[in-house]
Structures are given as structure tokens and as C-alpha cells.
């Protein structure tokens, strides 16, 4: 018991090792991967992010041009950000704030029409 006394005294008078989250938060690390967001105007509904997401929490409906993500399933890995060729997915440097109700991020995009091929010069 005596060999533990210094540790007990140190812990008793020292600062706590934990924080009163979410009241007290820490500064984010550089390049921290936090809450996901999308610039849906740039999205072409290619579905690459949905297919690459290891948590399978992204749903892209190409017919309705909707992009959805369940933030409660997201593991903040950043894979979707890396694979997006349009560079329209980003992550804040902070985690999503705690919530008492579940929700799904729902974004309405545009159905982008393919440019018409120009008539060939075969005439
Ligand atoms: S950060 Fe990872 S888990 Fe979250 S939506 Fe993107 S790919 Fe999925
Ligand atoms: S967010 Fe990027 S990867 Fe995902 S559907 Fe849109 S363009 Fe494709």
C-alpha cells in the first residue's frame, strides 16, 4: 500500500486526465478529420463515395440526384473525401456535436445532363 501513496497523492491533487466534454473541448490536431460536409452543387452523383465508404453510410440516388449520409455511422476515415473526383466532399476539423436525436444528412443536388454530342461531319 505504501508504494502506491505517491500515486494516490499525485492523482488527488493533480489535474484530471479527462475533460468535461462537450463543455470543455480540446484544440483540434492539425489535419484533423472531423465532421463531413458536401458542396452538393459540385457533385455529379457518380456514387464513388458511397461505394468506397467502409461504413456504408453514404447513399447516392442518381435518379433523384440526392446525396445522403448517416453521420452516426460515419467513422471519420476520410476515404470518401479522397475518392471524390469532383473534390466536393470536405471534413471540418471538429467532430460533430453530440445530439439527442438521430438524423440523416440529406442534400438535394442537380441532375446534370450529359452534353450532347456534336453532329458528325459524315454528311
Ligand atoms: S468519412 Fe469514412 S465513414 Fe464517413 S462517410 Fe466518408 S468514407 Fe464513410
Ligand atoms: S460527393 Fe463526389 S464521389 Fe460522391 S457522388 Fe458526389 S461527386 Fe461522386
Amino acid at each position: 500500500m505504501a508504494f502506491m501513496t505517491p500515486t494516490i497523492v499525485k492523482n488527488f491533487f493533480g489535474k484530471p486526465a479527462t475533460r468535461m466534454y462537450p463543455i470543455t473541448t480540446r484544440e483540434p490536431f492539425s489535419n484533423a478529420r472531423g465532421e463531413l460536409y458536401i458542396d452538393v452543387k459540385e457533385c455529379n452523383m457518380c456514387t464513388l463515395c458511397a461505394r468506397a465508404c467502409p461504413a456504408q453510410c453514404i447513399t447516392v440516388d442518381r435518379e433523384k440526384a440526392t446525396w445522403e449520409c448517416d453521420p452516426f455511422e460515419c467513422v471519420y476515415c476520410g476515404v470518401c473525401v479522397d475518392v471524390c473526383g469532383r473534390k466536393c466532399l470536405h471534413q471540418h476539423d471538429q467532430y460533430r456535436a453530440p445530439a439527442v436525436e438521430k438524423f440523416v444528412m440529406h442534400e438535394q443536388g442537380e441532375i446534370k445532363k450529359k452534353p450532347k454530342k456534336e453532329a458528325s461531319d459524315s454528311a
Side-chain angles (χ1 to χ4, degrees):
M1 182 68 188
F3 72 93
M4 292 175 61
T5 305
T7 305
I8 293 169
V9 171
K10 185 177 150 212
N11 287 342
F12 195 73
F13 291 105
K15 282 170 60 175
T18 54
R19 293 174 186 78
M20 291 287 288
Y21 183 85
I23 299 163
T24 308
T25 55
R26 70 183 304 164
E27 288 297 310
F29 299 107
S30 62
N31 298 325
R33 294 192 301 249
E35 186 175 12
L36 186 69
Y37 66 98
I38 182 173
D39 181 3
V40 78
K41 290 195 295 296
E42 296 298 321
C43 175
N44 64 359
M45 305 292 155
C46 71
T47 74
L48 265 180
C49 54
R51 285 182 279 148
C53 174
Q56 300 184 342
C57 59
I58 297 178
T59 306
V60 179
D61 188 325
R62 301 185 75 162
E63 301 295 317
K64 296 176 184 162
T66 55
W67 182 95
E68 291 184 334
C69 176
D70 182 347
F72 295 86
E73 297 291 332
C74 175
V75 295
Y76 302 96
C77 66
V79 168
C80 57
V81 176
D82 289 343
V83 299
C84 177
R86 306 279 295 189
K87 301 291 174 215
C88 52
L89 285 174
H90 310 278
Q91 286 178 281
H92 294 291
D93 60 5
Q94 295 281 357
Y95 292 125
R96 179 178 46 77
V100 292
E101 284 184 13
K102 281 199 159 193
F103 62 89
V104 171
M105 295 163 62
H106 176 92
E107 298 287 344
Q108 181 65 57
E110 285 177 15
I111 299 170
K112 293 184 171 57
K113 291 178 184 155
K114 286 184 184 168
K116 286 183 183 170
K117 286 183 183 170
E118 291 184 18
S120 63
D121 300 327
S122 58

